[in-house]
Amino acid sequence: MTSSFPEEVLEHVFSFITSHKDRNVVSLVCKSWYEIERWCRRRVFIGNCYAVSPEIMIRRFPEVRAVELKGKPHFADFNLVPEGWGGYFYPWIVEMAKAYPLLEEIKLKRMVVSDEGLEMIGRSFRCFKVLILSSCEGFSTDGLAAIAANCRNLRELDLRESEVEDLSGHWLSHFPDACTSLESLNMSCLSSEVSLSALQRLVARSPKLKTLRLNRAVPLEKLSTLLLRAPQLVEMGTGAYSADIHSDVYSSLAAAFSKCKELKSLSGFWDVDPYYLPVFYSVCSRLTFLNLSYATIQSPDVSKIISQCPNLQRLWVLDYIEDSGLNTLSLSCKDLRELRVFPSDPFIADANVSLTEQGLVAVSEGCPKLQSVLYFCRQMSNSALITIANNRPNLTCFRLCILEPRAPDYLTFEPLDTGFGAIVDQCKGLQRLSLSGLLTDRVFEYIGKHAKKLEMLSIAFAGDSDLGLHHVLSGCDSLRKLEIRDCPFGDKALLANVSKLETMRSLWMSSCAVSLGACKLLSRKMPRLNVEVIDEQGDLDSRPDNCAVEKLYIYRTVAGPRLDTPSFIQTMGQNTAYRLP
Amino acid sequence: MDLINFEATELRLGLPGSKDDQTETKAIPSPVNNKRSSPEMDSSVSDENDSSRSPPPTKAQVVGWPPVRSYRKNIIQAKKTETIYIKVSMDGAPYLRKVDLKLYTSYEELMKGLQGMFKCNIGLYSEKEGYKSEFAPTYEDKDGDWMLVGDVPFDMFLTSCKRLRIMKSCEVIES
């Protein structure tokens, strides 16, 4: 098909196509569209930094303005991925600094970022605007100082949940007086105190500031002066939420909050003193997101807040909310889309709070728009899961964590197969699922049969045999990410579904029953997969083929085996002589 | 496809994963003892292997389970060593004070602290006669009742005390 449109017209049309999936499809239509599209692509998303190399990205997309990269596997969040695994940002920044002088945005997740890398960002991109470091590590506040000092037009600096070597709070003072472009600052993961006067001045000279998430070290007494300088804030995270009881502090906080007419999102709330909770009641009616997951306040206080938030769409909270608070939620917040309930004390044997499956059932009944659930609890039943599934067929994300591994239905002592089966059967649009409790191969039969839109599946302490894994790999048509730990899944299922693995981003298996020989065989059959065996005992070369591997990470790639594997990772199919020591 | 075979789907009694002669390789070594990435792992893990049938009294910690980010764990632990500040009023005093109950391990220490704070003498507690001084320390418990300090064990007092009031003895109603 020859296009009768001049290139400029096609480019203009393509500029309205922003979704990565759509742009990828556009590029496959014909050679000329591929060429035009690649020159006008401005945003690139790379879900696995080892699936492609910086050189390949730059060669194909020469005019990029925004890059998003993800590094470590998701289970790294729970310490299952050893230190030194990889996910280094440096090789990327070195190439991007040369190739993309007009780069504006970098977003990284679970990557290792160094101060040198951050300094390079500051030096290399005169238009740099947005830096988002999500769950990253490897850098210190010195690197942040370099960003603050050198990025003249910085719009967004978001360090969400990163592990930063906190040398001092001095980095904040490196923002030049001339910098007035800041719209979003999230420093909630830092522990050091920043200079409050520097923070106040920064806030005062940033008229477009919409998001300000403070760290725990910012005292509550100072919050009102910050809020008064930024009444236009839309998203705000407090610091520590307690102070000596003082009616002056109380009234100035209440007054400051009442001036924030645009405030829709609140977070922070470390060390809450309930005395100060009412100060933000005036903004509750406008709140759409409330993160109380650090607030160790009891159920009546939580209920009091929630009952005043009729427009709440997302709630993150500790299990102190209890079933009674969730009941209040189900009655008060009819617009709720997302609920996350975190455990306050996951390591004690008995429940410290009265939170059961009933709370979740109540929310599923009362909140018709509920789509996304993350729920930690100590007991679950098939009947509750079936009720939830019937109430909420519109669920897209369902992550249930019953704290005790392999816990059965607490009423019948049966596995929870039928309960989760109902979830995948009813919720036809389910994209993400995390399983827990006692589960046999049967649940995987249901998942393979019904979960056709499922993209990400997390499995732990479940299943009986390879049949379970086989059901998933052969049945889940949309599966992109699969992560498995402590399940009796072995070679058979993996080797029977080799081509499936190339349609997925990645597969993680740890403490399963996959043999070294199967890994080698898989790698030979599928040259475009990196089959990485992680083994910290150190003598993989001398092990027999039938021994089980500790951990396995398999992903598709066009960049070949990676060159930065540490000594405890071996990519199968590679001549060991070429590996770095 | 020889995966769809009878053995895999037959009903059995017993925990899943407890039979592993189907595969040559060893079944799950659970929990995983991973030295490098398990800073939270404690020595009670080995107990889980020995008493796999009966539930352990305290939870044996498995690496990475439950799946909670480490910064969330720290918040919760911080709560445990928190202070317990309660208000203290004394009859006749112009303003209230606040005291951290966590600083004290016994009634004697608490009384010493209060006596220092309010410059008064409360005296010793006796089960039969209460306090032999012009003052009697009382506290409001979880039910909202005003109780004499000293009747219950100190630990129990710590969990139920919501505020303190040092009353003048002439106001104390003898039961």
Side-chain angles (χ1 to χ4, degrees):
Chain A
M1 175 186 108
T2 44
S3 173
S4 50
F5 291 121
E7 259 184 44
E8 299 78 20
V9 175
L10 277 174
E11 250 189 62
H12 184 68
V13 171
F14 292 169
S15 69
F16 294 104
I17 300 169
T18 48
S19 125
H20 297 292
K21 276 195 191 133
D22 290 344
R23 290 208 76 121
N24 291 343
V25 167
V26 160
S27 68
L28 292 174
V29 168
C30 63
K31 280 199 172 132
S32 64
W33 280 36
Y34 177 93
E35 275 303 306
I36 297 166
E37 194 283 321
R38 79 181 186 90
W39 278 95
C40 66
R41 174 128 22 161
R42 297 283 174 263
R43 313 186 69 89
V44 174
F45 168 76
I46 294 169
N48 173 6
C49 65
Y50 291 118
V52 74
S53 72
E55 292 82 3
I56 293 172
M57 173 185 74
I58 290 164
R59 196 165 60 228
R60 180 169 172 192
F61 300 117
E63 297 285 338
V64 161
R65 301 279 186 270
V67 174
E68 182 175 347
L69 294 170
K70 293 189 180 180
K72 296 185 203 173
H74 173 239
F75 272 176
D77 286 356
F78 317 123
N79 299 311
L80 288 174
V81 177
E83 201 65 34
W85 177 87
Y88 303 106
F89 175 57
Y90 195 74
W92 291 86
I93 185 61
V94 161
E95 298 305 318
M96 294 195 299
K98 290 185 277 192
Y100 297 150
L102 298 175
L103 193 69
E104 295 176 2
E105 300 182 20
I106 293 174
K107 182 173 175 185
L108 306 175
K109 188 166 187 180
R110 288 192 206 96
M111 292 198 73
V112 178
V113 182
S114 62
D115 285 346
E116 289 76 21
L118 294 176
E119 281 154 24
M120 215 171 224
I121 293 176
R123 280 201 305 274
S124 314
F125 311 118
R126 57 186 165 84
C127 306
F128 197 72
K129 296 197 169 74
V130 173
L131 181 62
I132 300 174
L133 301 175
S134 175
S135 303
C136 294
E137 54 163 0
F139 59 102
S140 77
T141 42
D142 286 351
L144 297 179
I147 296 288
N150 297 312
C151 301
R152 306 269 143 168
N153 296 300
L154 196 66
R155 206 171 68 204
E156 204 173 317
L157 178 60
D158 186 336
L159 305 173
R160 55 179 87 148
E161 292 148 28
S162 290
E163 250 180 67
V164 185
E165 194 193 340
D166 209 326
L167 302 170
S168 83
H170 195 58
W171 66 275
L172 190 87
S173 309
H174 283 256
F175 279 106
D177 289 339
C179 174
T180 57
S181 50
L182 206 60
E183 293 180 29
S184 171
L185 177 62
N186 179 355
M187 44 180 260
S188 54
C189 62
L190 298 177
S191 45
S192 282
E193 275 183 51
V194 297
S195 152
L196 287 167
S197 54
L199 181 58
Q200 276 167 27
R201 287 196 307 275
L202 178 62
V203 170
R205 67 174 183 275
S206 305
K208 294 194 214 144
L209 193 67
K210 296 277 186 299
T211 299
L212 179 64
R213 302 219 189 262
L214 304 168
N215 66 342
R216 198 172 184 171
V218 175
L220 189 60
E221 297 93 337
K222 299 294 179 190
L223 187 60
S224 45
T225 52
L226 288 167
L227 286 179
L228 287 171
R229 281 168 173 74
Q232 76 284 1
L233 280 179
V234 176
E235 302 181 325
M236 206 272 292
T238 74
Y241 206 78
S242 59
D244 285 343
I245 291 189
H246 209 288
S247 61
D248 277 358
V249 175
Y250 184 101
S251 49
S252 38
L253 273 170
F257 268 108
S258 67
K259 293 200 168 63
C260 295
K261 305 288 187 199
E262 310 295 325
L263 206 51
K264 292 211 171 68
S265 161
L266 276 181
S267 62
F269 298 110
W270 289 278
D271 319 310
V272 174
D273 182 345
Y275 172 78
Y276 283 108
L277 285 173
V279 303
F280 71 87
Y281 283 176
S282 60
V283 305
C284 282
S285 62
R286 273 174 254 116
L287 285 182
T288 57
F289 177 44
L290 183 55
N291 181 354
L292 293 172
S293 62
Y294 300 114
T296 50
I297 51 175
Q298 303 303 312
S299 183
D301 288 321
V302 181
S303 292
K304 186 91 199 284
I305 297 167
I306 288 170
S307 56
Q308 302 179 65
C309 302
N311 291 308
L312 201 61
Q313 293 179 13
R314 299 165 62 213
L315 175 66
W316 295 15
V317 73
L318 284 171
D319 57 9
Y320 290 129
I321 190 176
E322 298 190 329
D323 288 343
S324 54
L326 290 172
N327 201 46
T328 306
L329 181 67
S330 73
L331 296 169
S332 311
C333 304
K334 296 302 183 185
D335 210 22
L336 195 73
R337 321 282 166 100
E338 178 183 318
L339 173 66
R340 296 194 193 188
V341 179
F342 296 95
S344 53
D345 211 339
F347 300 113
I348 52 173
D350 298 319
N352 57 327
V353 291
S354 178
L355 179 111
T356 68
E357 80 284 5
Q358 289 311 314
L360 186 57
V361 171
V363 177
S364 76
E365 254 164 43
C367 302
K369 294 196 192 157
L370 187 69
Q371 285 177 293
S372 176
V373 170
L374 170 63
Y375 199 75
F376 285 82
C377 60
R378 283 186 160 84
Q379 66 185 43
M380 187 50 64
S381 65
N382 282 310
S383 62
L385 284 170
I386 292 167
T387 305
I388 292 165
N390 288 332
N391 286 340
R392 294 276 65 77
N394 50 325
L395 285 174
T396 54
C397 170
F398 189 72
R399 296 193 279 164
L400 180 67
C401 181
I402 306 163
L403 290 172
E404 183 66 39
R406 302 194 187 92
D409 177 324
Y410 79 101
L411 295 168
T412 65
F413 301 106
E414 284 170 2
L416 291 169
D417 299 337
T418 46
F420 279 106
I423 295 278
V424 292
D425 186 12
Q426 293 296 317
C427 307
K428 308 254 186 268
L430 196 69
Q431 290 173 339
R432 186 166 179 186
L433 178 64
S434 296
L435 304 170
S436 58
L438 182 64
L439 298 164
T440 72
D441 284 345
R442 185 126 280 154
V443 73
F444 300 111
E445 194 187 322
Y446 298 143
I447 290 172
K449 186 169 172 203
H450 295 289
K452 296 304 181 187
K453 299 280 197 245
L454 193 66
E455 297 182 10
M456 182 170 179
L457 179 61
S458 307
I459 310 172
F461 306 103
D464 307 316
S465 73
D466 274 71
L467 198 51
L469 180 57
H470 175 68
H471 283 309
V472 170
L473 290 176
S474 57
C476 296
D477 298 334
S478 310
L479 197 63
R480 291 189 297 115
K481 291 178 278 183
L482 180 56
E483 47 186 24
I484 304 171
R485 61 162 299 176
D486 294 273
C487 296
F489 299 148
D491 301 344
K492 285 197 192 123
L494 219 49
L495 295 174
N497 291 282
V498 294
S499 40
K500 173 71 175 177
L501 299 176
E502 231 184 53
T503 68
M504 292 165 54
R505 182 187 295 174
S506 64
L507 166 62
W508 168 279
M509 291 179 76
S510 55
S511 308
C512 296
V514 180
S515 72
L516 185 58
C519 295
K520 292 179 183 169
L521 184 56
L522 176 60
S523 155
R524 279 203 295 280
K525 284 188 173 193
M526 304 294 293
R528 286 185 304 192
L529 293 178
N530 279 353
V531 179
E532 294 182 4
V533 171
I534 300 171
D535 195 302
E536 291 182 278
Q537 316 234 338
D539 52 352
L540 205 54
D541 293 330
S542 55
R543 302 267 194 84
D545 275 0
N546 66 352
C547 85
V549 301
E550 279 176 18
K551 301 177 184 185
L552 180 58
Y553 187 53
I554 302 169
Y555 56 90
R556 66 181 177 189
T557 179
V558 294
R562 57 182 175 117
L563 302 172
D564 60 2
T565 47
S567 57
F568 54 84
I569 298 184
Q570 243 193 65
T571 307
M572 297 291 99
Q574 302 313 305
N575 190 327
T576 53
Y578 292 127
R579 274 179 49 238
L580 295 171
Chain B
M1 179 61 59
D2 96 336
L3 277 170
I4 319 289
N5 58 44
F6 280 176
E7 266 184 301
T9 55
E10 77 182 14
L11 291 174
R12 290 186 292 113
L13 293 175
L15 293 174
S18 55
K19 173 188 100 151
D20 62 356
D21 48 355
Q22 239 179 291
T23 51
E24 303 159 341
T25 57
K26 191 80 187 67
I28 340 145
S30 99
V32 175
N33 193 345
N34 186 327
K35 290 183 278 293
R36 210 178 284 204
S37 61
S38 57
E40 296 95 276
M41 200 130 111
D42 67 10
S43 54
S44 62
V45 159
S46 54
D47 295 338
E48 194 174 79
N49 281 325
D50 302 330
S51 55
S52 54
R53 289 286 181 273
S54 57
T58 56
K59 272 183 135 43
Q61 292 198 27
V62 176
V63 176
W65 191 266
V68 175
R69 302 283 304 271
S70 52
Y71 58 79
R72 291 199 178 279
K73 290 181 196 159
N74 295 335
I75 304 299
I76 295 153
Q77 274 147 30
K79 164 78 178 165
K80 287 198 164 138
T81 55
E82 200 193 59
T83 53
I84 308 178
Y85 273 102
I86 54 145
K87 289 183 189 173
V88 188
S89 61
M90 184 163 99
D91 291 353
Y95 47 78
L96 280 66
R97 301 296 302 271
K98 265 219 162 156
V99 75
D100 179 7
L101 291 181
K102 272 274 175 160
L103 293 176
Y104 305 104
T105 56
S106 70
Y107 283 124
E108 287 84 0
E109 285 182 29
L110 175 61
M111 289 309 134
K112 258 202 210 146
L114 291 175
Q115 283 171 157
M117 204 180 248
F118 288 99
K119 309 280 184 285
C120 63
N121 184 34
I122 301 173
L124 293 168
Y125 166 81
S126 111
E127 211 183 288
K128 290 210 186 85
E129 290 163 61
Y131 291 83
K132 284 193 191 145
S133 70
E134 58 167 326
F135 293 105
T138 62
Y139 70 100
E140 184 183 6
D141 73 359
K142 278 184 175 157
D143 299 323
D145 297 318
W146 285 94
M147 320 286 292
L148 188 69
V149 172
D151 287 331
V152 299
F154 190 70
D155 287 333
M156 198 185 286
F157 161 76
L158 278 184
T159 55
S160 48
C161 172
K162 286 180 65 187
R163 56 186 297 171
L164 279 166
R165 177 182 165 197
I166 304 174
M167 297 177 80
K168 281 228 164 76
S169 282
C170 54
E171 309 231 13
V172 173
I173 299 164
E174 304 278 6
S175 58

